[in-house]
């Protein structure tokens, strides 16, 4: 234990692994004393890890401290297990050789690619998975953020507990508390039974908060309180429930810009962003496109007991195309080409109709006058329905139309299907 007068000398002599720093040392409760000492410590010892202790009312000061260089902040009144957990996380991050959970290579292998960016991401996952540090995954839509989150969980010490996925972009503000924190019977109209929220289901495991950038400000406050206090109250209950979860978040939105614009809370940003993994778009890792394509085709062949192969020139051609939808678009294009190909091979001409802006040469189409557009459309829908065993969602996805649009066409062409 040291005081503000001997802090610099003490740290210089002993170089502690972690410093726990209060924001106030006297009757003054402005927090300025803590920020001033924090600035001096970081100026003399820039690599020193420091955890701030702050009250809820001084969270803005804690955020200022994070900007200066604090590693984390704990709110008062703190719970010893939370404080010790924060210290333990920092020590584990600084000592990657400490014992960890057995590596789950299958989860890492699901992240396909040999580019430097992907190798770096896999190495980062190996290093951070064993800790309880919150992780923010950013990247364009379709880059594989969920796969990275799953790999973090599967390679962590929590891998035998649940991995709970929550798409925050798909939850309305009115349902946010019920979905995440649960509710008691009678809490609102339609609440006919008690229901566990996602945080309770994920206890001892990992909760994946996808599309966190879509969360409204009011819901951000409620989420922040749970992350700070490690407790929540289900709707209709006055009893607090403890939660022990590792939080992994993801977004395709520019959170730092949203913070400056006032649409995303700065304190929440720092709470979820202890560690950051950025996934590059497919356009920045074109060398991985052949690996991804071959993997998708192999999976399709295995799933349907077929042996369709890709012509040699296809992989090089695909590597030169633009996939604004990233891996998700590439997978969709490969599946369409595989589905609609004739014979045992897939050529460039099988891909061209499914990539906008790509000139179509010698397309495999019937000669003019031999088939109407309705006949062509009906044949394609029937082939897709057979391929996906009548799964409406999958057929609509591969054909690039909505479920309701597909239903209309099924009725139009009198194609049998399950409602």
């Amino acid at each position: 234990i040291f005081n503000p007068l001997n802090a610099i000398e003490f740290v210089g002599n002993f170089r502690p692994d972690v410093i726990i720093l209060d924001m106030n040392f006297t009757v003054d409760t402005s927090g300025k004393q803590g920020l001033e000492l924090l600035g001096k410590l970081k100026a003399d010892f820039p690599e020193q890890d420091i955890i701030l202790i702050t009250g809820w009312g001084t969270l803005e000061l804690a955020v200022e401290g994070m900007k200066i260089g604090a590693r984390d902040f704990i709110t008062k009144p703190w719970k010893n297990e939370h404080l010790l957990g924060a210290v333990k996380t920092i020590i584990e991050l600084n000592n990657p050789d400490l014992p960890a959970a057995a590596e789950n290579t299958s989860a890492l292998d699901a992240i396909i690619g040999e580019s430097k960016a992907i190798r770096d991401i896999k190495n980062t996952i190996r290093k951070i998975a064993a800790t309880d540090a919150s992780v923010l995954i950013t990247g364009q839509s379709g880059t594989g953020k969920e796969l990275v989150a799953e790999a973090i969980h599967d390679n962590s010490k929590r891998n035998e507990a649940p991995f709970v996925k929550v798409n925050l972009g798909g939850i309305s503000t009115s349902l946010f508390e019920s979905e995440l924190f649960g509710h008691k019977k009678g809490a609102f109209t339609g609440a006919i039974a008690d229901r566990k929220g996602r945080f309770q289901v994920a206890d001892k495991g990992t909760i994946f908060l996808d599309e966190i950038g879509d969360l409204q400000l009011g819901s951000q406050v409620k989420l922040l309180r749970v992350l700070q206090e490690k407790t929540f109250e289900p709707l209709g209950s006055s009893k607090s429930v403890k939660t022990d979860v590792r939080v992994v978040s993801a977004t395709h939105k520019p959170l730092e810009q949203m913070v400056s614009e006032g649409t995303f809370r700065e304190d929440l940003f720092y709470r979820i962003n202890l560690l950051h993994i950025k996934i590059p778009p497919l356009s920045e890792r074109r060398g991985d496109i052949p690996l991804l394509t071959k993997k998708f085709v192999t999976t399709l062949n295995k799933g349907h007991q077929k042996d369709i192969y890709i012509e040699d020139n296809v992989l090089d051609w695909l590597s030169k195309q633009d996939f604004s939808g990233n891996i998700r678009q590439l997978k969709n294009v490969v599946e369409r080409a595989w589905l609609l190909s004739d014979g045992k091979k897939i050529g460039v001409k099988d891909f061209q109709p499914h990539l906008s802006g790509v000139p179509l040469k010698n397309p495999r189409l019937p000669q003019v006058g031999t088939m109407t557009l309705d006949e062509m459309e009906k044949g394609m829908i029937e082939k897709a329905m057979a391929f996906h065993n009548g799964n409406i969602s999958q057929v609509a996805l591969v054909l690039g139309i909505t479920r309701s649009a597909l239903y209309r066409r099924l009725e139009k062409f009198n194609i049998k299907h399950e409602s």
Side-chain angles (χ1 to χ4, degrees), residues 17 33 50 53 58 61 80 316 320 406:
D17 291 320
Q33 296 170 328
I50 301 173
I53 298 288
T58 57
L61 288 171
N80 288 339
D316 181 64
K320 298 174 183 176
L406 175 58

Side-chain angles (χ1 to χ4, degrees), residues 311 314 345 347-353 360-364:
E311 292 182 345
V314 169
K345 60 184 179 181
V348 170
K349 58 183 176 293
D350 295 303
F351 284 95
Q352 287 174 323
L360 182 61
K361 298 180 181 179
N362 300 319
R364 182 183 297 157

Side-chain angles (χ1 to χ4, degrees), residues 55-86:
W56 178 263
T58 57
L59 272 182
E60 289 185 3
L61 288 171
V63 170
E64 289 301 313
M66 296 289 282
K67 292 179 180 178
I68 295 172
R71 191 69 179 273
D72 202 350
F73 59 92
I74 301 293
T75 56
K76 299 177 182 177
W78 71 84
K79 295 181 179 178
N80 288 339
E81 62 267 29
H82 300 159
L83 181 57
L84 292 173

Side-chain angles (χ1 to χ4, degrees), residues 360-377:
L360 182 61
K361 298 180 181 179
N362 300 319
R364 182 183 297 157
L365 293 173
Q367 293 183 354
V368 175
T370 62
M371 184 178 290
T372 67
L373 287 175
D374 276 354
E375 288 172 334
M376 289 177 59
E377 187 175 27

Side-chain angles (χ1 to χ4, degrees), residues 102-112 122 125-126 129 144 146-156 159:
E103 183 172 300
N104 188 333
T105 55
S106 62
L108 289 169
D109 287 344
I111 304 172
I112 300 167
K122 289 184 176 182
I125 291 171
R126 292 186 181 99
E146 185 176 321
L147 278 179
V148 172
E150 289 178 348
I152 291 172
H153 172 74
D154 289 345
N155 283 276
S156 74
N159 57 14

Side-chain angles (χ1 to χ4, degrees), residues 14 22 25 90 115 119 127 149 164 180 185 302 325 374 396:
F14 294 96
D22 202 343
F25 311 129
I90 290 176
S115 60
R119 293 199 307 270
K127 180 178 179 181
V164 177
L180 267 70
K185 180 181 178 180
K302 286 183 178 179
D374 276 354

Side-chain angles (χ1 to χ4, degrees), residues 82-99:
H82 300 159
L83 181 57
L84 292 173
V87 173
K88 180 173 178 285
T89 293
I90 290 176
I91 292 175
E92 287 176 338
L93 288 171
N94 291 339
N95 296 274
D97 295 330
L98 290 176

Side-chain angles (χ1 to χ4, degrees), residues 4 22-34 58 76:
D22 202 343
M23 299 292 287
N24 303 296
F25 311 129
T26 64
V27 292
D28 180 12
T29 59
S30 67
K32 294 180 180 179
Q33 296 170 328
T58 57
K76 299 177 182 177

